[in-house]
Amino acid sequence: MNQDFSGIVIQTSLTDGRVNHFFCDSPPVIALVCADTSLFELEALTATVLFILFPFLLILGSYVRIISTISRMPSAEGKQKAFSTCSSHLLVVSLFYSTAILTYFRPRSSTSPENKKLLSLSYSVVTPMLNPIIYSLRNSEVKAALRQVIRKALGPQTL
């Protein structure tokens, strides 16, 4: 778009004002802003640290204590049961936080817009969709049904 201000031509590179994303996430919207966004980016980084990194570190610290407590248990069966109880939550938390941290803590130029969309899709859609599946796999009846489906799909091989 060209604008003429008393003989000075200003050419803007903004194409059509569309957000190159599948939802209005902050980074793609900020890319459309024509003003200085450094203060907003600093506030966004601060909020990200408070709402993503700080809870992640608390959860990580909790799991370090849980694992150290479990490792001191005398019974191997008790250790297995305790790890089994924690593993589904740890998997869901790891999936969510790893994709969120990869999305919001990467430098602007290091990732293509398509990869950023994929990471955002992963933490906003895929992880919540996998959540009930991961937690239901703790149920022995669900595990047995899943084994039966896999056996039918793979043939007479045993699992």
Side-chain angles (χ1 to χ4, degrees):
M1 179 169 121
N2 294 330
Q3 297 177 351
D4 189 1
F5 295 108
S6 60
I8 300 172
V9 177
I10 299 172
Q11 190 171 24
T12 58
S13 62
L14 187 62
T15 55
D16 59 0
R18 292 186 185 182
V19 175
N20 186 16
H21 216 283
F22 58 90
F23 67 94
C24 281
D25 201 11
S26 295
V29 173
I30 290 173
L32 297 176
V33 176
C34 296
D36 180 28
T37 59
S38 58
L39 181 61
F40 177 79
E41 290 177 25
L42 180 63
E43 290 172 349
L45 179 64
T46 304
T48 301
V49 167
L50 287 174
F51 298 121
I52 292 179
L53 192 59
F54 185 66
F56 174 72
L57 292 175
L58 286 175
I59 292 169
L60 188 66
S62 297
Y63 269 102
V64 166
R65 291 192 56 144
I66 290 169
I67 290 170
S68 70
T69 302
I70 291 172
S71 65
R72 286 184 268 143
M73 293 175 79
S75 163
E77 185 179 316
K79 286 180 184 180
Q80 181 185 8
K81 189 171 183 176
F83 276 123
S84 174
T85 301
C86 296
S87 63
S88 54
H89 181 258
L90 187 59
L91 180 61
V92 170
V93 167
S94 298
L95 281 172
F96 176 78
Y97 278 108
S98 62
T99 55
I101 287 171
L102 283 173
T103 299
Y104 292 108
F105 281 115
R106 294 187 85 168
R108 232 185 259 171
S109 62
S110 70
T111 309
S112 71
E114 287 74 25
N115 287 343
K116 289 179 181 178
K117 285 185 212 176
L118 187 61
L119 284 170
S120 293
L121 179 69
S122 178
Y123 82 82
S124 63
V125 176
V126 175
T127 302
M129 183 180 69
L130 289 176
N131 197 358
I133 295 168
I134 291 169
Y135 281 111
S136 67
L137 288 176
R138 292 188 59 222
N139 185 321
S140 59
E141 293 172 4
V142 173
K143 285 182 190 176
L146 182 62
R147 282 189 193 108
Q148 188 177 17
V149 167
I150 292 172
R151 280 190 191 121
K152 285 182 182 179
L154 296 178
Q157 302 170 354
T158 58
L159 292 179

